[in-house]
Amino acid sequence: MKIKPFKLERYFAKHEFSAPYLLSSSDCEPVMLSELLALADGDCLALWNNLRLAYTESQGHPLLREEISKMYAGISKEDLLVLVPEEGIFAAMNVLLESGDHIVCTFPGYQSLYQVAESNNCRVSKWLPGKNLEFNVEDLFALLTDRTKLIVINFPHNPTGGMISRSDLEKIIETARKRNITVFSDEMYRLLEYDEKDRLPSVCELYENGVSLSGLSKTFGLPGLRIGWLATRNKAIQGELAAFKDYTTICSSAPSEVLGIMALRNKEKLRDNSLGIIRGNLALIEAFAARQSGWLDWKTPKAGSIAFPGIRIKESAADFCEQLVREKGIMLLPSEVYDYSRKCVRFGFGRKSLPEILPMFEAYITQKGY
Ligand SMILES: Cc1ncc(COP(=O)(O)O)c(C=O)c1O
C-alpha cells in the first residue's frame, strides 16, 4: 500500500522538538516517571522491580486489560486488545475494510482515520461540521449509501473539541445497526468532558458491531508510554484485530504495560490533574479571545484539550503559523495540515506552559497589528 504523508504528524516532526513554545499540543501535561512510580501500589511496584524484559502477551497484560475493562460497562478483558493508539487505527481500517468499500468519516480530522481507508482504495465521504463547527447527524445520514461499510466518528473531536448529544449518538448506532454498518469510534479524548453530563457512552458499550479506540496519551498525560486499546464485543472482529497485530508490533512494550497498570489504578487522579490544567488555561484563553475578537472566532468546546477557532486574517493560516514559529518559536497548527479549506488554527490547552506562552503570543499579535 502506498500511503500519503500524514500532514499533521510531519508538521509536528518538523517543529515539536525545535520550537521552544508549543501552543498546539493535543496531549495533556506529560506525567513524570517519578510521579507515576510514587503513585504505584505495592503490587505494581513489585511488578516493576521484578520486570523481565521479555516478549509480552500479544493481547496485552491481563492486569492492564482488567484495569481497562473497569472503565466500561459490559466490556470484559477478553474484549480488549492493547496496542499503540495509532496502530489501533491502522489495524482496524485494514481489518474492517476491503478495496471498494465506502466509509463516512468525521472531517476535518486525524488523518489516519480516513487516509488508511483511502489508500486501500476505499471511497471516503466526509462528514463536515456546519458553520459553527458543529456536527449535525442528518448530514451524516445523507452520506450513507448501500456500499457504506463503516462509519468513523471521533468525539470529543480532534481538532474542534466538538461533541454530539447522547441521543444523536444513539441515532447513529440505530441507523448503523439497521443497515449493518460497523462503527469505529475514536475516543482518545473521552473522560475530558468539562461537565460529566456531556460524556457519551462508549460505542463498544452501545453497539455489538462497534469498535472503540482509547488510550493513555491524552486524558492521562502519558503519550510516551504508547499504550492504547481497541474494545469490541464482536468476537470475529476482535480475533482479526489480534491476528493483524502480529504484523505490526506483535506485543506491547513490557515496561509501558506495567506503567499503564499503575496509571489506570490512579486514573481519577491523573484525569483530574489534566482537567485542572485545562480549566485554568481555558480561563486565560477566553479572556485572551475576548480581547482578540477582531480576528479570532473563539468558542470554548465542551471537552478535550484542543480547539480550532477560525481566524480572520489576510494571509493563509499556514503562512501565519510559519511566521509565528520562525519569528517567536511559538508553534500553532494551521488548518492546511487538516486539508481543511476554512482558515483556522489549532490551540492546545492541556499543558502547564500555556500561561507563559499566551502573553508572548499576544505581544506578537499586537506588534503585527492584527
Ligand atoms: C483523534 C486521535 N486519534 C488517535 C491519535 C493517536 O494517538 P497516539 O499518538 O497516542 O498514537 C491521536 C493523537 O493525536 C488523536 O488525536
Side-chain angles (χ1 to χ4, degrees):
M1 171 177 62
K2 260 265 182 246
I3 194 158
K4 283 187 192 160
F6 197 135
K7 288 190 180 171
L8 174 149
E9 296 297 353
R10 288 296 90 210
Y11 200 83
F12 266 99
K14 184 171 170 197
H15 296 297
E16 188 177 11
F17 294 95
S18 53
Y21 307 113
L22 303 179
L23 196 50
S24 203
S25 304
S26 59
D27 53 346
C28 295
E29 184 68 19
V31 176
M32 298 295 290
L33 175 63
S34 53
E35 286 174 65
L36 191 54
L37 290 172
L39 290 175
D41 59 27
D43 290 349
C44 283
L45 281 179
L47 285 176
W48 181 246
N49 289 325
N50 299 310
L51 185 63
R52 213 158 65 93
L53 295 175
Y55 282 114
T56 61
E57 246 183 73
S58 178
Q59 195 177 352
H61 196 300
L63 290 178
L64 178 57
R65 284 185 285 123
E66 197 173 302
E67 291 304 326
I68 297 167
S69 70
K70 290 179 192 162
M71 300 164 76
Y72 300 95
I75 293 293
S76 77
K77 65 181 199 297
E78 305 315 319
D79 302 327
L80 294 163
L81 176 67
V82 175
L83 30 55
V84 176
E86 174 72 316
E87 180 189 13
I89 297 174
F90 189 72
M93 296 307 148
N94 275 286
V95 160
L96 298 173
L97 295 169
E98 280 169 37
S99 170
D101 286 338
H102 174 243
I103 81 162
V104 179
C105 181
T106 36
F107 190 92
Y110 194 64
Q111 191 175 337
S112 47
L113 291 173
Y114 51 88
Q115 191 64 62
V116 179
E118 202 176 285
S119 300
N120 276 333
N121 298 315
C122 296
R123 199 165 70 73
V124 176
S125 294
K126 298 167 178 170
W127 179 18
L128 289 155
K131 206 163 158 269
N132 295 326
L133 291 181
E134 273 173 9
F135 287 93
N136 178 340
V137 280
E138 297 306 324
D139 295 337
L140 163 65
F141 297 147
L143 295 169
L144 298 177
T145 75
D146 290 344
R147 295 191 69 89
T148 308
K149 187 84 172 288
L150 183 69
I151 293 173
V152 180
I153 54 176
N154 166 222
F155 298 111
H157 178 242
N158 176 358
T160 63
M163 288 286 277
I164 53 173
S165 66
R166 186 185 173 119
S167 75
D168 279 350
L169 180 63
E170 284 167 352
K171 275 189 216 159
I172 294 174
I173 302 301
E174 218 173 282
T175 305
R177 187 178 279 125
K178 260 195 226 136
R179 300 177 68 139
N180 200 22
I181 296 171
T182 306
V183 177
F184 180 86
S185 175
D186 181 326
E187 299 166 7
M188 288 297 289
Y189 299 87
R190 191 161 174 263
L191 307 179
L192 282 181
E193 300 76 15
Y194 314 146
D195 183 337
E196 237 176 83
K197 285 203 294 293
D198 291 322
R199 182 167 312 148
L200 295 170
S202 180
V203 163
C204 64
E205 298 168 324
L206 289 183
Y207 185 30
E208 58 287 355
N209 290 324
V211 181
S212 292
L213 169 76
S214 193
L216 300 179
S217 305
K218 313 294 179 186
T219 307
F220 304 102
L222 293 162
L225 293 188
R226 313 306 298 126
I227 291 283
W229 55 87
L230 290 171
T232 180
R233 289 182 282 136
N234 181 314
K235 297 288 173 218
I237 294 177
Q238 180 64 249
E240 284 187 61
L241 290 168
F244 191 88
K245 192 187 167 190
D246 295 337
Y247 285 99
T248 50
T249 56
I250 304 174
C251 63
S252 303
S253 143
S256 288
E257 285 198 321
V258 174
L259 295 169
I261 300 167
M262 291 176 193
L264 288 181
R265 287 191 179 171
N266 292 281
K267 55 183 178 293
E268 281 84 14
K269 200 175 229 164
L270 295 175
R271 193 271 318 267
D272 290 351
N273 191 38
S274 298
L275 268 179
I277 295 169
I278 287 173
R279 288 207 171 92
N281 285 341
L282 275 175
L284 296 175
I285 297 191
E286 282 168 352
F288 161 83
R291 293 189 294 273
Q292 302 296 335
S293 59
W295 65 279
L296 183 69
D297 290 326
W298 178 264
K299 201 173 134 234
T300 297
K302 286 188 173 157
S305 47
I306 46 180
F308 201 48
I311 50 175
R312 278 173 272 110
I313 58 173
K314 271 201 234 84
E315 63 268 48
S316 68
D319 285 348
F320 175 76
C321 292
E322 273 303 331
Q323 252 184 54
L324 178 65
V325 75
R326 197 172 55 239
E327 293 181 24
K328 294 289 164 198
I330 298 174
M331 185 192 164
L332 272 181
L333 270 183
S335 34
E336 283 86 346
V337 302
Y338 284 92
D339 276 332
Y340 192 47
S341 55
R342 280 156 69 176
K343 259 187 231 183
C344 302
V345 286
R346 190 180 89 177
F347 279 80
F349 39 84
R351 298 277 190 97
K352 279 185 188 160
S353 53
L354 183 133
E356 180 199 351
I357 304 172
L358 202 59
M360 291 165 52
F361 179 48
E362 189 156 23
Y364 171 82
I365 294 294
T366 310
Q367 172 211 329
K368 291 275 174 184
Y370 285 108

